[in-house]
Amino acid sequence: MGNKMFNVVETFSGIGSQAKALRNIGFNANIVATADWDINAIIAYDLIHHGKQDLTAYNHYSEQQLNEELSKFTLSADGKSAMTEKAKKVLPIHLKKMLLYAIRRSNNLVSITDIKGKDISDNIDLLTYSFPCQDLSVCGFWHGNTSGIDRDANNRSGMLWEVERILEEMFKLGKKMPKFLLMENVSNILSKTHEKNFNEWKGFLSSLGYYNVVYKLNAKDFGIPQKRERVYMLSVLVGNDALKLMELKRYLDEHKLENINEINRLKRREISLREILKINYEENPLYREEANYSQPNDTPSRQRIFEKNDVLYDGVNIKDIIVNTVTTKQDRHPNSGVIVYDSGRSGKAVYRNLTPRECFLLMGFDEEDFQILIENNIDVNKRRKLFTKEKLIKMAGNSIVVDVLEVIFRQIREIEEIL
């Protein structure tokens, strides 16, 4: 592709795994727009990818002006439900400024339900969509979430059909369709339960001229010590061009991403658990502080967690272990693994969980990405920071492993070169 700019729309953007992966591999990418309604993720994305905010331009804004600006958006404080106007108004003024600044600087279109086809600019090379998995996952099923991606389910995973609406509106307006689409979700989307809906989705994309290839990929094969299997679907716009389709099929047949040799050809690095765990507490007091936050109380339920989960560090040696999936919580069973830890504080368990910093690293982010969040973590009230330990782990658990995306984007670059 040479130095050609690659224009990207990153929906359900979270903390921006896609943007991170594109930057890591030297893709000349322009993130034209993002879309996320979670106020924590909106600000975190902006800090990670654009650096410290300069809010001086908002010094003259009154609180009423800030309220009026934020009232234009459907926002969420927890990523699950929309905030009321009253809830927005009681946010601290400084937080309102950070939020508005982040929306504008990252060109965040916010809630997927409010985006129209006309809002997506022409000449988009890639549109990514990692819609919520809660109603698709096996865990969700056991909690009674059985509706999956049913079109009329009115649940979080049903946000897939909002992507359909946007693409359909673009098509009807005669807009130029994105050359590539990339979906990421839990592997359970391929189960018999969701087969009908997923086939309907693939059929819709085919009707627009896309050729779909589905991959089931595990992060442990891509250089990250985490067992995290996810489904990715790459959709390539070929229209009615039979020659282009033939070339695409030939390439994909020769370069299957389930093939470990192909993965090794395209991946950037191999990182060990030793590089992830931050146990050098004496050298870095911040690691000690984070370890203390992640050490639970010594209760019977926590003793059972210690007994039933993998010990990643026994106090002497870091085990050669591929950790279990980083989820949105660590203080539970099952979790990603435990670390033997003695803080010298009475009433505390003999272990700690993974810290938020370690969870970010297991998702392929760098310490610098995490550190900028800590350095710009404001007080929401006297007792709570904006980015709590729980919210940081949740944002990591909701993200996509950067190293897997790097390989997929390298494949996209090769596909564009042959087409």
Side-chain angles (χ1 to χ4, degrees):
M1 289 189 294
N3 291 319
K4 174 186 173 297
M5 184 66 72
F6 195 75
N7 295 317
V8 180
V9 172
E10 196 177 357
T11 67
F12 306 100
S13 44
I15 56 175
S17 294
Q18 292 91 339
K20 177 71 175 175
L22 288 163
R23 185 166 64 248
N24 281 352
I25 65 172
F27 227 125
N28 190 20
N30 172 34
I31 309 297
V32 176
T34 63
D36 205 297
W37 73 335
D38 187 312
I39 63 174
N40 307 284
I42 290 171
I43 295 173
Y45 182 107
D46 185 58
L47 289 169
I48 290 171
H49 299 286
H50 301 297
K52 186 175 180 179
Q53 297 179 332
D54 180 3
L55 301 178
T56 53
Y58 292 85
N59 287 344
H60 67 284
Y61 272 61
S62 67
E63 186 163 15
Q64 183 178 345
Q65 286 176 298
L66 291 169
N67 291 340
E68 288 173 357
E69 289 296 321
L70 292 177
S71 69
K72 299 174 183 177
F73 305 108
T74 303
L75 297 164
S76 175
D78 58 6
K80 298 177 182 179
S81 57
M83 297 177 71
T84 63
E85 289 305 311
K86 181 179 179 181
K88 292 181 198 175
K89 288 178 180 178
V90 298
L91 292 173
I93 293 178
H94 190 67
L95 176 55
K96 291 176 185 177
K97 291 179 180 179
M98 289 183 73
L99 184 54
L100 187 57
Y101 186 95
I103 289 171
R104 290 176 171 174
R105 183 161 63 158
S106 299
N107 193 22
N108 195 316
L109 304 177
V110 194
S111 175
I112 195 78
T113 59
D114 295 336
I115 300 173
K116 307 298 181 187
K118 63 180 177 61
D119 300 326
I120 307 298
S121 61
D122 284 321
N123 298 316
I124 296 300
D125 295 292
L126 170 67
L127 185 143
T128 67
Y129 59 108
S130 176
F131 57 98
C133 67
Q134 289 89 343
D135 303 291
L136 278 169
S137 67
V138 174
C139 179
F141 178 84
W142 287 112
H143 285 87
N145 300 338
T146 59
S147 53
I149 48 174
D150 287 350
R151 184 177 289 277
D152 301 317
N154 194 31
N155 61 22
R156 284 169 286 176
S157 295
M159 291 295 103
L160 170 64
W161 305 110
E162 294 293 335
V163 180
E164 178 194 55
R165 175 187 56 77
I166 293 166
L167 292 174
E168 195 167 37
E169 289 174 1
M170 291 178 67
F171 187 79
K172 288 180 177 178
L173 287 169
K175 295 178 77 72
K176 193 172 182 179
M177 303 302 290
K179 295 178 184 176
F180 300 93
L181 307 173
L182 180 63
M183 181 204 81
E184 180 270 353
N185 216 283
V186 292
S187 57
N188 203 43
I189 197 172
L190 300 181
S191 70
K192 195 73 176 175
T193 304
H194 308 299
E195 183 179 36
K196 179 178 178 294
N197 284 320
F198 191 44
N199 284 340
E200 182 181 347
W201 172 243
K202 289 187 290 184
F204 165 73
L205 294 178
S206 296
S207 74
L208 297 181
Y210 288 97
Y211 180 79
N212 305 306
V213 56
V214 177
Y215 292 129
K216 186 188 286 188
L217 306 174
N218 198 316
K220 68 182 180 63
D221 297 322
F222 290 76
I224 291 289
Q226 180 190 169
K227 289 176 276 190
R228 189 185 187 90
E229 186 180 77
R230 292 291 185 267
V231 165
Y232 301 82
M233 184 167 74
L234 177 62
S235 304
V236 184
L237 188 64
V238 292
N240 297 317
D241 191 326
L243 182 60
K244 185 179 287 189
L245 179 59
M246 184 178 70
E247 283 295 308
L248 175 62
K249 286 183 175 180
R250 180 190 59 78
Y251 171 88
L252 292 171
D253 187 56
E254 295 175 359
H255 300 279
K256 298 180 186 296
L257 280 189
E258 286 92 346
N259 186 322
I260 195 66
N261 291 327
E262 181 67 10
I263 292 170
N264 288 335
R265 180 179 77 86
L266 294 171
K267 76 181 180 184
R268 179 172 60 98
R269 62 177 179 176
E270 194 83 35
I271 188 167
S272 68
L273 191 56
R274 181 172 298 279
E275 297 170 79
I276 298 287
L277 297 186
K278 301 304 172 186
I279 56 174
N280 49 330
Y281 311 120
E282 302 306 322
E283 295 176 23
N284 193 327
L286 183 57
Y287 295 160
R288 170 77 70 183
E289 184 180 332
E290 292 171 355
N292 286 344
Y293 287 152
S294 300
Q295 184 182 30
N297 293 325
D298 187 18
T299 63
S301 64
R302 268 52 176 272
Q303 291 166 10
R304 287 193 293 273
I305 289 175
F306 181 68
E307 292 166 2
K308 293 183 177 181
N309 287 274
D310 292 334
V311 175
L312 308 179
Y313 172 66
D314 62 10
V316 178
N317 297 307
I318 295 176
K319 304 295 184 67
D320 185 18
I321 288 177
I322 305 295
V323 308
N324 293 321
T325 301
V326 172
T327 62
T328 55
K329 293 180 182 178
Q330 285 300 311
D331 189 19
R332 68 178 180 189
H333 172 73
N335 64 19
S336 300
V338 296
I339 295 98
V340 170
Y341 179 64
D342 180 12
S343 64
R345 299 178 297 167
S346 62
K348 291 294 181 180
V350 297
Y351 73 94
R352 68 169 177 83
N353 298 303
L354 288 171
T355 65
R357 184 185 299 268
E358 292 163 340
C359 289
F360 267 64
L361 294 176
L362 280 164
M363 297 305 295
F365 285 86
D366 303 323
E367 281 203 73
E368 292 78 10
D369 301 320
F370 182 79
Q371 193 60 34
I372 195 167
L373 301 185
I374 299 306
E375 292 171 358
N376 292 275
N377 198 4
I378 66 167
D379 293 319
V380 175
N381 54 47
K382 291 181 179 179
R383 299 187 301 276
R384 185 170 68 83
K385 294 281 190 182
L386 170 62
F387 300 128
T388 63
K389 172 174 70 74
E390 292 76 17
K391 285 183 178 178
L392 288 165
I393 289 175
K394 180 180 178 181
M395 287 192 290
N398 279 334
S399 191
I400 309 171
V401 174
V402 171
D403 296 65
V404 180
L405 289 171
E406 288 176 8
V407 169
I408 296 173
F409 291 152
R410 282 197 169 104
Q411 188 173 77
I412 287 175
R413 182 158 52 189
E414 291 184 353
I415 290 171
E416 181 153 73
E417 286 173 354
I418 66 167
L419 297 184

